[in-house]
Amino acid sequence: MADTALNTARSLGATYADARIGRYLNQYVFTREDKVQNVVNTESFGIGIRVIANGTWGFASTNSVTEDGIKKATQQAVAIAKANSKIQKDPVVLAPVESYGEVSWKTPIKKDFKDVPVSEKVELLLDANAAAMDNGANYVNSALFMVNEQKYFASTEGSYIDQDIHRIWPTFGVTAIDPAAGKFKSRQAMSAPMGMGYEYMDGLESEKLVGPAGLKLYRNSYDIVEDATLAAKQAKEMLTAKSVDAGKYDLVLEPNHLGLTIHESVGHPLELDRVLGYEANYAGTSFATLDKWKSGDFKYGSDIVNLVADKTMPGSLGNVGFDDEGVKTKQWDLVRNGVLKNYQAIRDQVHMIDQNESHGCCYAQSWNDVQFQRMPNVSLEAGKEKYSINDMIKDVEKGIYIAGRGSYSIDQQRYNFQFGGTVFYEIKNGEIVGMLDDVAYQSNTQEFWNSCVKICDESDYRIFGSFFDGKGQPSQVSAVSHGSSTTRFNDVNVINTGRSI
Amino acid sequence: MERRKFVQLAGLGTGALMMPSLFLGNSIPVEALLDPGMDIATKKDDGRYGS
């Protein structure tokens, strides 16, 4: 089928063509308290064909995966390219890519979610809900998202790439109410969406870490019942937690929290299309302009800040063998020793930053969408010296420990921002003294990363992820992870989000 | 599944309302998830063309 597209494109004058045959299988399970709300099984199957004709991109897709259907879609893609070439100023320049022949790649899963009965998944979620309710929750909802992308890529460069990609995201929200005070508090799951199979739900003791104040933290295996139990207790505790005194604090940020800050303040501003203004209409621009990168000494962060991009980290959402234009995936530096080193770019972009090798981060959410540059995993390297969470807490005089993601806001250049969190604990003279509420910190990207003074070692390294990161017009979603160890930032401005004006 | 209902159940942000319906796909019975789908040889070449 793919060869039908490639040969048709060639015969119509295309100088390049690729075809992606995609079968996307999804299973979602939703529950609330003791009830199943929905079980969803979906399939999407079709082919997307991208061509270059007259130096211009064209794209078309069809769910008629037949010789006739593919020929028609290819003809449409070439016609679109030729029509658009009349207003194209400069021809598309593609970085060279290796011809890989016939190759395959699979997410290294241990349990395929498709082999696990729905009843087992429902039972697990209802067990988690019951645990939350038994421990003081008034409401709880939980969900399991499971995705299998079966993707076949072929191009006129001579690659035929078959990939079988799995992702999973268990999550819940627990709410506790205080009717007398008219208050409610919610605590979300401390899970991370992962590029793993159903084995992520095994709750292995070997993958658990104990954080400050008895917080349970999870690495490559998640115990949803245990987390729901603690979530209910913490939601209740939040109802009477001390409201934070606004001011400057040293922040100790847990990876499931810091991942979102990395995503928004490093991942997005270093997307090259965003830097070039291509995303200005929808997602915004970037403060990290080309002149800063060209200077070779732009201090994005302090000397200990090393931010790397990759599509190769096992267990991560971005992990694939090849991207959606047939480039073998890799790791590269974005920020090294605090200095801005590179962006995220694909085959038709890297020549704009004087490079001749794609970074391998091209992705389309389905066969029906054209592939474009998407954020790879962007992660903060762990500290080199042995240093634990407890060591870090002991070294802080006046600070706040923040775990889990919360509400946030960041400007369209990805510079000025504000982040909340899931749970907050006050640190005084090296000890956790109690839970806080109404915490959010404000900073700007450069000031924040330059205030980074200490990073825990590899033993604390964990992954945060976003299952539905949005970008582009028409909008597409993508899944991406961000790794880090617990990290300290000094003298950050903390505001009280509960204050009456 | 309707997009609005999916977003509501999933507790996703309003940005997820932009997700195209094709992202969710067509509803299928659970056993159809185990269908192996089109084989690789067919995906590559329909036999009418050389590669």
Side-chain angles (χ1 to χ4, degrees):
Chain A
M1 295 295 175
D3 277 340
T4 299
L6 304 185
N7 288 316
T8 302
R10 281 194 197 100
S11 71
L12 294 171
T15 53
Y16 171 85
D18 60 41
R20 290 178 296 111
I21 301 174
R23 181 168 180 248
Y24 297 77
L25 301 173
N26 302 306
Q27 184 175 67
Y28 307 139
V29 182
F30 302 97
T31 71
R32 178 172 178 172
E33 287 96 39
D34 59 353
K35 296 175 180 62
V36 177
Q37 286 189 294
N38 210 338
V39 177
V40 181
N41 303 294
T42 67
E43 176 186 37
S44 176
F45 178 63
I47 181 170
I49 298 138
R50 188 176 66 153
V51 304
I52 296 176
N54 296 349
T56 307
W57 285 120
F59 175 78
S61 63
T62 179
N63 61 0
S64 174
V65 189
T66 62
E67 185 186 343
D68 189 48
I70 292 170
K71 277 184 178 175
K72 282 181 183 166
T74 308
Q75 287 162 359
Q76 188 180 20
V78 173
I80 289 169
K82 288 180 177 175
N84 282 338
S85 71
K86 290 171 185 161
I87 54 169
Q88 178 100 350
K89 290 178 182 166
D90 299 306
V92 173
V93 177
L94 288 183
V97 65
E98 191 177 330
S99 171
Y100 295 105
E102 294 184 34
V103 292
S104 64
W105 187 90
K106 289 184 178 183
T107 305
I109 60 169
K110 292 175 181 159
K111 288 184 194 173
D112 189 335
F113 75 84
K114 305 193 296 293
D115 293 329
V116 178
V118 172
S119 58
E120 192 175 313
K121 295 160 184 159
V122 165
E123 194 176 334
L124 182 59
L125 292 184
L126 293 181
D127 283 350
N129 295 357
M133 298 299 282
D134 289 346
N135 284 279
N138 295 93
Y139 304 101
V140 55
N141 53 45
S142 57
L144 259 175
F145 299 88
M146 293 152 288
V147 173
N148 175 208
E149 293 184 355
Q150 300 170 359
K151 302 201 290 194
Y152 187 81
F153 172 90
S155 79
T156 48
E157 311 274 28
S159 289
Y160 294 87
I161 301 166
D162 187 54
Q163 297 195 93
D164 188 44
I165 298 152
H166 289 251
R167 295 194 285 272
I168 184 167
W169 181 27
T171 187
F172 64 74
V174 163
T175 301
I177 61 171
D178 180 349
K183 289 173 71 176
F184 71 92
K185 291 292 175 185
S186 297
R187 202 280 231 168
Q188 306 301 310
M190 289 291 181
S191 59
M194 300 291 284
M196 295 179 70
Y198 198 75
E199 69 275 8
Y200 181 56
M201 304 305 296
D202 285 349
L204 298 177
E205 291 297 323
S206 58
E207 294 296 325
K208 294 178 183 175
L209 297 172
V210 178
L215 198 63
K216 297 289 174 61
L217 305 167
Y218 305 96
R219 205 193 311 267
N220 293 313
S221 187
Y222 178 55
D223 188 335
I224 192 171
V225 176
E226 179 185 69
D227 193 24
T229 302
L230 185 58
K233 293 175 182 172
Q234 288 181 327
K236 278 181 70 181
E237 193 181 353
M238 284 177 200
L239 288 167
T240 53
K242 176 189 165 188
S243 192
V244 70
D245 294 325
K248 299 272 188 178
Y249 291 84
D250 294 348
L251 300 182
V252 177
L253 303 183
E254 181 269 335
N256 206 303
H257 169 87
L258 185 57
L260 182 61
T261 309
I262 293 172
H263 179 90
E264 305 295 352
S265 71
V266 182
H268 280 308
L270 298 185
E271 294 165 328
L272 184 61
D273 45 11
R274 194 173 177 125
V275 171
L276 296 170
Y278 299 174
E279 289 287 316
N281 189 55
Y282 176 57
T285 59
S286 172
F287 78 94
T289 47
L290 290 178
D291 57 307
K292 296 182 179 68
W293 166 69
K294 283 176 183 166
S295 75
D297 60 3
F298 180 73
K299 284 292 280 181
Y300 207 100
S302 65
D303 289 349
I304 63 167
V305 171
N306 296 301
L307 293 153
V308 293
D310 85 284
K311 295 275 287 178
T312 57
M313 189 195 312
S316 69
L317 294 170
N319 187 23
V320 290
F322 301 84
D323 75 354
D324 279 355
E325 55 182 1
V327 176
K328 195 172 174 57
T329 54
K330 64 176 185 179
Q331 177 181 307
W332 70 101
D333 282 350
L334 295 175
V335 173
R336 177 59 54 186
N337 300 325
V339 176
L340 175 61
K341 291 293 182 187
N342 211 339
Y343 296 104
Q344 309 149 37
I346 57 174
R347 287 191 72 192
D348 66 355
Q349 295 177 325
V350 284
H351 72 95
M352 301 176 199
I353 47 174
D354 304 322
Q355 296 173 28
N356 59 8
E357 183 183 307
S358 167
H359 299 153
C361 54
C362 190
Y363 177 78
Q365 69 177 5
S366 86
W367 55 268
N368 191 43
D369 299 279
V370 67
Q371 58 270 59
F372 70 128
Q373 190 273 312
R374 296 308 305 261
M375 191 190 303
N377 302 316
V378 174
S379 303
L380 176 67
E381 283 187 353
K384 304 286 187 291
E385 300 165 16
K386 188 168 170 51
Y387 196 68
S388 69
I389 308 176
N390 290 335
D391 293 334
M392 187 171 280
I393 301 279
K394 278 179 196 164
D395 289 343
V396 173
E397 278 186 34
K398 180 195 176 194
I400 302 172
Y401 173 77
I402 304 178
R405 63 182 292 175
S407 174
Y408 74 96
S409 174
I410 189 164
D411 73 24
Q412 53 95 19
Q413 290 194 73
R414 301 278 149 172
Y415 194 62
N416 299 287
F417 60 67
Q418 172 179 318
F419 284 89
T422 302
V423 290
F424 314 96
Y425 290 94
E426 185 172 17
I427 306 169
K428 270 189 182 171
N429 301 318
E431 289 185 0
I432 298 279
V433 295
M435 187 179 263
L436 288 174
D437 197 15
D438 307 321
V439 176
Y441 59 91
Q442 291 179 321
S443 188
N444 69 61
T445 297
Q446 196 179 12
E447 187 176 293
F448 177 77
W449 285 104
N450 275 283
S451 74
C452 177
V453 294
K454 201 79 182 174
I455 306 171
C456 288
D457 63 44
E458 191 72 27
S459 66
D460 185 55
Y461 193 87
R462 276 167 286 133
I463 293 175
F464 159 92
S466 173
F467 222 62
F468 300 109
D469 179 39
K471 184 184 174 187
Q473 289 179 301
S475 181
Q476 293 191 41
V477 294
S478 165
V480 57
S481 291
H482 304 288
S484 69
S485 299
T486 303
T487 303
R488 175 176 169 179
F489 297 84
N490 274 2
D491 215 23
V492 181
N493 192 44
V494 169
I495 59 169
N496 184 308
T497 58
R499 187 170 64 103
S500 297
I501 307 297
Chain B
M1 188 177 192
E2 290 177 8
R3 192 181 318 169
R4 181 183 295 177
K5 195 170 183 188
F6 170 80
V7 170
Q8 185 186 8
L9 287 172
L12 299 173
T14 51
L17 287 168
M18 303 294 286
M19 287 195 309
S21 55
L22 264 170
F23 172 74
L24 295 174
N26 302 312
S27 186
I28 55 170
V30 64
E31 57 271 19
L33 290 172
L34 295 169
D35 185 314
M38 185 182 281
D39 64 82
I40 290 182
T42 308
K43 285 178 183 173
K44 179 181 185 296
D45 192 341
D46 64 358
R48 287 173 173 262
Y49 298 88
S51 57

